[in-house]
Amino acid sequence: MDPVRDLSPVHGRREKRWEATITEQEPDQRIAWTSTDGAHNAGVVTFHRIDDGTSRVTLQLDVDPEGPVENVGDALGLVSRQVKGDMQRFKEFIEARRRETGAWRGTVDQAAG
């Protein structure tokens, strides 16, 4: 499995594109990435099991706004609001499925390789 992904989320009315390398993945626990081309960002998502029907998902995200418009938007909290909305949509998606997506679930450890 090649741990490189092409991502293109839409922020406001602008689409941002980048390629990212998954630097760490442990199914049901953690996934980390860093961009390799395009918009600079890096992050980690962790999944914490609370009980059989409840999990806590946390996101740490490092984003470098590009240009004056993005810097102003970041200062006004637009990036944080976008991320909160994305996390809410992820929650709704997972809860509606009530099962895994069937996507690849292998382990990636770039530090070991």
Side-chain angles (χ1 to χ4, degrees):
M1 190 269 181
D2 182 8
V4 175
R5 294 284 177 258
D6 178 40
L7 304 167
S8 58
V10 175
H11 296 281
R13 296 176 188 233
R14 293 183 53 204
E15 181 178 278
K16 301 284 286 187
R17 295 191 66 83
W18 68 88
E19 287 189 357
T21 297
I22 297 171
T23 57
E24 183 181 354
Q25 177 171 312
E26 190 159 336
D28 302 325
Q29 293 185 31
R30 178 182 183 89
I31 186 165
W33 73 93
T34 187
S35 62
T36 57
D37 189 40
H40 173 76
N41 66 87
V44 62
V45 177
T46 54
F47 303 88
H48 308 275
R49 181 183 179 279
I50 305 299
D51 59 40
D52 285 343
T54 308
S55 294
R56 177 175 291 122
V57 179
T58 60
L59 169 68
Q60 293 176 298
L61 183 61
D62 177 25
V63 179
D64 285 338
E66 298 174 342
V69 172
E70 288 187 13
N71 281 303
V72 169
D74 187 38
L76 293 173
L78 297 179
V79 172
S80 294
R81 284 198 294 274
Q82 177 70 40
V83 169
K84 286 179 185 176
D86 289 344
M87 293 295 287
Q88 181 62 39
R89 285 183 288 280
F90 176 73
K91 178 183 187 294
E92 292 165 1
F93 170 76
I94 294 300
E95 289 177 347
R97 287 190 58 86
R98 305 192 64 79
R99 66 181 185 282
E100 298 167 358
T101 63
W104 185 77
R105 294 177 48 78
T107 300
V108 173
D109 184 359
Q110 293 290 327

